[in-house]
Amino acid sequence: MPKQEKEFFDPNTLSWHRPEGYPDGVWELIVTEDKKTNEFTRLLKFASGTETTNILAHECWEEVYIIEGGLICGEQVFTKGMVAVRPPGMKHGPFKTPVGALTYEVHYRRSKE
């Protein structure tokens, strides 16, 4: 089933849970998803002091907007209002979040042109 069509709604009606493979202190709220293609839109929340250990690379495109807080990857500091656009296979992480963070993410596949 493709991602669900949803008009404006209160995301507080949805449930937060820890995403598979993430450490304690990380929660996701799936806004809409296609389980068949693993395309989804979510909010991802990091508690203050959380550190991930994995280097990630996805099979799909990923776009991320930092709504609150910030993330540190190596020597790079990413803060509120910054955006990432990652093509399939782009490596990123691990991340530290000394102040915590809230991100909005869209994972999608591009159709072949």
Side-chain angles (χ1 to χ4, degrees), residues 13-63:
T13 61
L14 305 173
S15 299
W16 290 90
H17 66 278
R18 191 171 102 198
E20 185 177 329
Y22 283 79
D24 288 336
V26 180
W27 300 275
E28 73 177 354
L29 187 144
I30 299 293
V31 175
T32 185
E33 67 182 322
D34 181 338
K35 290 183 180 185
K36 183 177 177 183
T37 63
N38 199 30
E39 294 175 298
F40 58 88
T41 301
R42 72 178 175 184
L43 293 169
L44 191 66
K45 185 178 355 180
F46 297 83
S48 298
T50 301
E51 293 188 25
T52 65
T53 56
N54 296 338
I55 295 175
L56 302 171
H58 308 291
E59 294 180 1
C60 61
W61 282 84
E62 176 185 50
E63 297 182 2

